[in-house]
Amino acid sequence: METQSVIQIKNLTKIYRDFWGRKKVRALNSLSLDVKKGEVFGLLGPNGSGKTTTMKLLLGLLFPTEGEITVLGKPASDVSKNEWIGYLPEESYLYRFLNAEETLDFYGRLFDMSPQQRKERSNQLIELVGLQNARKRQLKEYSKGMTRRIGLAQALINNPDLILLDEPTSGLDPLGSRDMKDLIVKLKNEGKTVVMCSHLLADVQDVCDRIAILYAGELKELGRVDDLLKEQHETELLTSKLSPEAVADVEAVLAKHNAKLLRHGHPTNSLEDLFLKTVQKSQERPGQRFVPAASEKS
Amino acid sequence: MNFDAKPFLLFSNIENGLMHWLLVFGSFIGVIFAASILISVGIYGVSGPVAVMGRVRQGLHDFLNLSPKRIWAISWLTIIEAVRRKALLVFVVFAFLMMFAGWFLDSDLRADLQVKNAVSFALTTVSWLTIPVLLLLSCWGIPEDIRVRSIHTVVTKPVRRNEIVMGRILGFATIAAAIVAMMGIVGYVWILRQVPNNASLICRVPVYGTLQFLDREGNASDKGLNTGDIWEFRSYIEGGTKASAAYKFPVDAPVDRIKLESRFEAFRTHKGRMGQSLLVRYVLVNPTKDLRVPLDSFEIKEFNLNEQYLERKLSFYDEVRMDKRTIDLFDDVVDQNSLTIEVQCLDSGQYLGMARPDFFIRLPDRPFAIGYFKAVLGIWLLTVFIVSIGVTSSTFVKGPVATLLTFSLLIIGQGFREFMIKLITGVQKGGGPIESWYRLVTHMNDTLELPDNIGIKIMQGIDNVMLGGLWLMQHLIPDLTSFVMAPYVANGFDVPWNLAIFRSLAITIGYLVPCLLVGYYSLTLRELEAK
Ligand SMILES: Nc1ncnc2c1ncn2[C@@H]1O[C@H](COP(=O)(O)OP(=O)(O)OP(=O)(O)O)[C@@H](O)[C@H]1O
Ligand SMILES: [Mg+2]
């Protein structure tokens, strides 16, 4: 049985306009997506492809030019859905004159949490993001990574069911990104839904169940990471080092079976390949876009 | 002296004021609603009005389910921000000013004028320092929040947009209260130390009456004579004739004696008696009982106060009955809870000038601090008003524009209102704008009847809509004069509750409600992106 959709996007188009209402940028073009409960969903794409725009539309920070968005069964403009949502913005837009404790306390209040709950939760989160030593310092003194960490803590203050992370690992040190990935996996194990966008494809490959690749506001690729990375028309053999003669022998065997040796060497099939290939293809043939298979549609 | 104590209520009872407000507010909402329905039909067709109604329903829901906790969280943030951004330094500026102000105040003046100067100075300084600071804070808060996008982390929490507006206003109002209270107290102590030894701080509580004139033949008229002064504040009565000024004061429970205080002006046509001032007499009148009780005449003190006491038991020579009698002030003179006193000038050829606030019953004084802190409260109310307008305008325009907008409203409200009203309502002669044009083009003057046809009907219909719009605009302009209470205190009066405090409070609340609506919708309907 198919699991419940947490996010449904139908034919979403977003055109940024200037002050006078003139069209400036078509940031998203007829995008349709579904995110299921309990999965980690990755939004990929080069700079300016519309990832952040998608997130802001999901949160009701921007209004769609066309199309429909349903988040947790409610329209994106409905504020009450925020009760169960956590959002880490692209850059941590926080109040720089507050310290870590005050920041978390403030956001906790916006959820009508009791002082006791707020205290417990912020202690827990400060620990989680490793800011114990900086809890009394104002955010304006924070380094980029520290700001990222408090931003993450802020996103988790309400123990949300749906977490939107805009480039969660940017600015974090290797240890920090490791922790971040562990945390995302942990959230997934708790049954939460995570939507993230990132440029660090290795991170995405590690944690995401499904990904979508955007290019210039259009959906170019969508599917399970395993499936996408599995080349359906190729079979990969991994052997110990072969001598040139052995390679020739293998080729002969393959020829007998109407197959060809395409390449030999170290297998490097990664998300990076897929990403680069998709982007390249999009640049070569701009009109093409991903159309969901019939089974995935309704 | 150009202090007009304004003894008369402009809207005399609360129901009238409320009805008036409901009318203006209702029309305001009605116009906006009608406009949004029309525009939405124009853009989206039939689905437009449905969406508008959805917004209205959502708005109602959001206003009925406010969370005080979240509102206070936003206020708290606002306060902390102001404190950490060192807005309270304004207090240091104030303290500094007050420390050295004594040097610049004239100490050669008459004692009571020195007191007046000191009080004015302290109260003016408090408002001149507080108002700009809060104007800037309130107009820049939300735009800055949008610019650096910190508002994104707030609106993605379950906060409603009206809670943001309310929280901001409440936060700024709290800061204003703290600043104004601190400055008020320092100012008070400073005034106490400025008072010269031979003067004292007073807080008189006047009961004003209505004023009616009788001309030299003894006929009633609304005004006395004009002695050529352009400023028609005071009217004059001619001495040695039947001319008099009849003041009718409201009185309630009987007391043993009543204190009367007056300050009349003399206008002379000849030198008169050397070294003496004009001779004036009060006559108590009970028109129902046909009783006239002349009191002893006295010489007025020019540019100064005349004080008299009216004892409850009065002995006088009754000119009608031709004998001496004793009467009771409350039983015999007071008629239907009002006490009528006629003022007459006894020097023929000289004129005595007075206005309504020049003569009053002086109730027992209150402590000076009461009047003073009421004026401080008035300053705070004004800042709350400014903050509401500032925060609201900052939801749809950027900081500088919001500041300019609020500041203009403040200036207009301080006295240009009358002028604006004349400007707007002056259109009415000869019909509305279109009719005037029609008359102008067809050379019809404004007394001629217009032909009765459908074109004229349509023209007048449009005119009525336009005049309605102008009427609405005129009533959206605030009248902020009642917020300025320093003149009462500086002139040694208590600040009247009805006229100053309640009125200002009503105006503040009257503007706060539409502000919240406008702020809510403009934050809801716009994308919170820096443009
Ligand atoms: N406020 C705005 N006004 C006008 N155009 C905008 C605005 N924000 C984004 N855009 C445009 O919309 C497009 C998509 O931007 P978006 O921020 O969604 O990209 P992104 O995928 O998040 O990029 P990055 O990887 O650099 O974060 C870009 O062309 C960008 O210039
Ligand atoms: Mg982005």
Side-chain angles (χ1 to χ4, degrees):
Chain A
M1 201 43 236
E2 210 166 289
T3 43
Q4 207 184 326
S5 284
V6 173
I7 296 174
Q8 281 172 301
I9 301 178
K10 277 208 199 91
N11 294 324
L12 183 64
T13 298
K14 175 69 193 175
I15 297 172
Y16 282 104
R17 290 169 192 279
D18 66 4
F19 180 79
W20 308 107
R22 288 177 306 196
K23 290 182 187 183
K24 243 164 59 182
V25 188
R26 184 179 276 263
L28 281 182
N29 194 8
S30 203
L31 174 74
S32 297
L33 271 184
D34 254 29
V35 177
K36 303 273 185 286
K37 189 168 173 6
E39 71 178 347
V40 178
F41 191 91
L43 271 176
L44 309 188
N47 291 130
S49 56
K51 306 181 295 290
T52 303
T53 304
T54 310
M55 286 223 172
K56 286 183 178 170
L57 283 161
L58 288 175
L59 288 158
L61 287 172
L62 298 176
F63 307 143
T65 311
E66 253 171 61
E68 274 168 50
I69 311 168
T70 317
V71 180
L72 298 168
K74 296 185 175 176
S77 59
D78 190 337
V79 180
S80 64
K81 73 182 193 310
N82 294 349
E83 205 76 58
W84 304 281
I85 293 183
Y87 169 50
L88 172 66
E90 190 167 23
E91 276 161 47
S92 300
Y93 310 124
L94 300 167
Y95 293 96
R96 292 160 49 79
F97 50 85
L98 298 180
N99 66 33
E101 275 178 356
E102 288 166 337
T103 302
L104 295 182
D105 191 66
F106 167 67
Y107 289 111
R109 284 186 199 198
L110 297 183
F111 286 96
D112 260 350
M113 288 161 70
S114 72
Q116 182 60 32
Q117 278 175 310
R118 297 199 305 260
K119 205 167 166 56
E120 276 173 21
R121 189 77 186 142
S122 38
N123 282 338
Q124 209 180 334
L125 287 170
I126 286 176
E127 196 121 334
L128 179 76
V129 298
L131 287 174
Q132 295 93 322
N133 298 327
R135 58 199 305 159
K136 294 278 185 209
R137 284 168 65 190
Q138 285 186 25
L139 301 197
K140 62 178 166 216
E141 301 172 3
Y142 274 25
S143 71
K144 175 154 191 224
M146 290 163 87
T147 320
R148 261 347 248 163
R149 286 163 190 257
I150 188 72
L152 177 69
Q154 161 281 132
L156 297 176
I157 187 87
N158 56 330
N159 195 13
D161 293 334
L162 170 62
I163 301 133
L164 303 172
L165 305 171
D166 201 340
E167 296 184 23
T169 47
S170 88
L172 290 183
D173 55 33
L175 220 69
S177 359
R178 183 74 258 160
D179 290 347
M180 179 66 89
K181 283 187 272 181
D182 289 348
L183 178 73
I184 293 172
V185 172
K186 189 170 144 249
L187 290 170
K188 174 187 149 78
N189 291 339
E190 287 170 13
K192 321 246 175 212
T193 313
V194 180
V195 176
M196 58 181 279
C197 43
S198 179
H199 294 295
L200 297 177
L201 300 168
D203 295 354
V204 176
Q205 191 171 10
D206 286 352
V207 298
C208 286
D209 299 320
R210 286 202 307 149
I211 55 164
I213 300 182
L214 296 179
Y215 182 82
E218 294 190 339
L219 185 61
K220 295 298 180 183
E221 202 55 89
L222 174 73
R224 296 194 56 79
V225 177
D226 319 340
D227 294 346
L228 288 174
L229 296 185
K230 205 189 294 166
E231 279 291 358
Q232 304 292 351
H233 309 293
E234 293 173 18
T235 306
E236 195 173 51
L237 300 173
L238 186 62
T239 67
S240 57
K241 180 135 176 65
L242 292 182
S243 63
E245 303 86 67
V247 173
D249 285 353
V250 171
E251 267 181 340
V253 174
L254 288 174
K256 215 163 73 189
H257 292 279
N258 263 335
K260 236 168 47 185
L261 182 63
L262 294 175
R263 176 187 63 185
H264 66 95
H266 305 293
T268 54
N269 203 352
S270 69
L271 185 54
E272 197 173 337
D273 293 334
L274 175 70
F275 182 81
L276 293 177
K277 219 158 64 194
T278 310
V279 170
Q280 217 165 26
K281 227 163 55 192
S282 305
Q283 276 164 341
E284 284 161 9
R285 307 178 55 184
Q288 207 174 42
R289 88 160 74 129
F290 179 84
V291 182
S295 65
E296 248 194 297
K297 252 182 189 163
S298 92
Chain B
M1 182 174 88
N2 55 5
F3 164 65
D4 175 4
K6 279 216 209 98
F8 304 98
L9 276 183
L10 294 176
F11 49 66
S12 48
N13 60 45
I14 189 82
E15 292 102 82
N16 274 352
L18 195 65
M19 285 313 294
H20 179 77
W21 179 82
L22 280 176
L23 195 64
V24 175
F25 179 62
S27 335
F28 175 67
I29 298 295
V31 166
I32 291 185
F33 181 70
S36 23
I37 292 279
L38 282 179
I39 293 172
S40 69
V41 170
I43 299 180
Y44 303 104
V46 207
S47 66
V50 178
V52 172
M53 287 316 293
R55 290 292 188 180
V56 171
R57 207 170 322 112
Q58 184 66 45
L60 268 177
H61 182 266
D62 283 353
F63 272 98
L64 292 176
N65 293 288
L66 290 169
S67 152
K69 247 192 208 165
R70 292 195 294 249
I71 295 176
W72 183 243
I74 302 283
S75 308
W76 174 86
L77 182 80
T78 309
I79 296 167
I80 296 285
E81 174 167 21
V83 172
R84 304 244 160 112
R85 295 243 165 104
K86 317 226 164 32
L88 298 187
L89 273 186
V90 67
F91 182 70
V92 176
V93 176
F94 177 74
F96 193 76
L97 269 178
M98 288 326 240
M99 249 156 42
F100 300 105
W103 295 355
F104 303 102
L105 291 180
D106 195 346
S107 53
D108 302 329
L109 279 173
R110 220 170 68 189
D112 60 334
L113 292 183
Q114 276 187 50
V115 170
K116 183 174 162 178
N117 278 351
V119 173
S120 296
F121 179 80
L123 287 172
T124 314
T125 313
V126 174
S127 44
W128 280 67
L129 284 177
T130 318
I131 287 170
V133 170
L134 278 136
L135 177 69
L136 290 177
L137 281 178
S138 64
C139 289
W140 290 79
I142 289 180
E144 191 62 12
D145 218 3
I146 294 174
R147 194 182 66 79
V148 302
R149 300 203 172 119
S150 40
I151 201 162
H152 286 185
T153 48
V154 174
V155 295
T156 51
K157 307 281 184 284
V159 202
R160 307 306 194 270
R161 311 280 160 108
N162 49 355
E163 290 168 344
I164 296 179
V165 179
M166 283 179 157
R168 285 269 171 191
I169 293 178
L170 180 65
F172 289 126
T174 312
I175 299 166
I179 296 180
V180 170
M182 280 193 300
M183 288 186 181
I185 292 169
V186 172
Y188 183 69
V189 174
W190 179 83
I191 290 171
L192 292 186
R193 298 183 39 177
Q194 287 292 315
V195 177
N197 294 332
N198 54 346
S200 58
L201 292 163
I202 49 170
C203 176
R204 292 174 289 168
V205 186
V207 177
Y208 295 104
T210 53
L211 174 56
Q212 255 272 311
F213 287 94
L214 296 179
D215 65 16
R216 52 183 302 158
E217 270 83 41
N219 303 318
S221 74
D222 281 344
K223 272 186 180 172
L225 297 168
N226 187 342
T227 54
D229 194 344
I230 300 170
W231 192 45
E232 290 190 13
F233 180 57
R234 294 202 165 80
S235 251
Y236 288 77
I237 54 173
E238 189 178 347
T241 66
K242 283 186 179 163
S244 71
Y247 285 86
K248 194 170 170 185
F249 300 107
V251 289
D252 20 81
V255 286
D256 282 342
R257 63 179 194 174
I258 288 179
K259 186 171 186 184
L260 298 176
E261 198 167 295
S262 63
R263 187 185 166 287
F264 299 125
E265 261 177 29
F267 181 83
R268 287 159 222 268
T269 54
H270 55 84
K271 245 195 217 158
R273 290 162 290 122
M274 291 300 287
Q276 283 179 327
S277 183
L278 296 193
L279 210 53
V280 167
R281 180 172 73 171
Y282 294 154
V283 182
L284 309 182
V285 181
N286 184 338
T288 323
K289 291 188 182 170
D290 213 5
L291 177 72
R292 293 180 66 81
V293 184
L295 303 181
D296 294 339
S297 59
F298 62 95
E299 262 183 47
I300 60 161
K301 295 181 198 145
E302 284 177 54
F303 311 109
N304 220 328
L305 297 169
N306 315 296
E307 296 181 5
Q308 267 97 18
Y309 287 98
L310 265 184
E311 300 296 335
R312 182 161 182 183
K313 294 279 178 250
L314 288 165
S315 300
F316 75 108
Y317 182 78
D318 191 334
E319 286 165 7
V320 181
R321 297 195 199 174
M322 309 271 277
D323 78 40
K324 211 171 155 63
R325 35 183 305 216
T326 302
I327 51 161
D328 182 288
L329 183 64
F330 287 88
D331 294 342
D332 298 315
V333 182
V334 171
D335 185 28
Q336 290 162 359
N337 286 331
S338 56
L339 170 65
T340 307
I341 303 178
E342 283 183 15
V343 183
Q344 298 173 337
C345 174
L346 301 179
D347 290 303
S348 58
Q350 312 289 42
Y351 294 81
L352 186 72
M354 68 275 293
R356 276 162 148 183
D358 283 344
F359 186 26
F360 53 86
I361 294 179
R362 181 169 162 186
L363 296 181
D365 286 358
R366 301 219 169 104
F368 171 76
I370 289 188
Y372 174 82
F373 283 106
K374 277 192 205 164
V376 172
L377 181 66
I379 296 174
W380 179 72
L381 282 175
L382 184 58
T383 52
V384 173
F385 175 87
I386 291 170
V387 156
S388 314
I389 302 284
V391 169
T392 305
S393 47
S394 74
T395 60
F396 52 86
V397 286
K398 285 185 183 166
V401 188
T403 313
L404 204 67
L405 217 97
T406 312
F407 187 69
S408 318
L409 207 62
L410 188 64
I411 297 296
I412 292 170
Q414 291 294 348
F416 282 100
R417 186 171 190 269
E418 298 304 314
F419 170 73
M420 295 287 285
I421 287 174
K422 281 202 190 109
L423 198 76
I424 291 169
T425 51
V427 180
Q428 242 148 345
K429 199 172 180 212
I434 298 185
E435 188 181 325
S436 311
W437 256 107
Y438 179 79
R439 285 178 186 277
L440 212 69
V441 173
T442 56
H443 301 284
M444 287 173 89
N445 72 34
D446 55 32
T447 53
L448 285 174
E449 278 290 316
L450 288 170
D452 189 24
N453 63 34
I454 187 81
I456 298 289
K457 286 267 155 57
I458 292 175
M459 183 181 87
Q460 285 177 334
I462 298 174
D463 266 0
N464 282 337
V465 171
M466 288 174 88
L467 286 178
L470 290 174
W471 172 87
L472 188 59
M473 268 177 59
Q474 159 197 342
H475 284 88
L476 290 180
I477 299 168
D479 175 8
L480 300 178
T481 44
S482 67
F483 288 82
V484 182
M485 305 174 192
Y488 292 103
V489 189
N491 285 286
F493 286 105
D494 188 19
V495 177
W497 282 108
N498 241 337
L499 219 84
I501 305 275
F502 292 149
R503 194 177 143 77
S504 308
L505 189 66
I507 292 175
T508 308
I509 296 173
Y511 276 86
L512 184 63
V513 173
C515 274
L516 292 180
L517 271 183
V518 171
Y520 168 71
Y521 277 108
S522 71
L523 275 191
T524 310
L525 298 178
R526 66 177 286 198
E527 294 181 334
L528 299 173
E529 281 284 321
K531 276 246 161 74

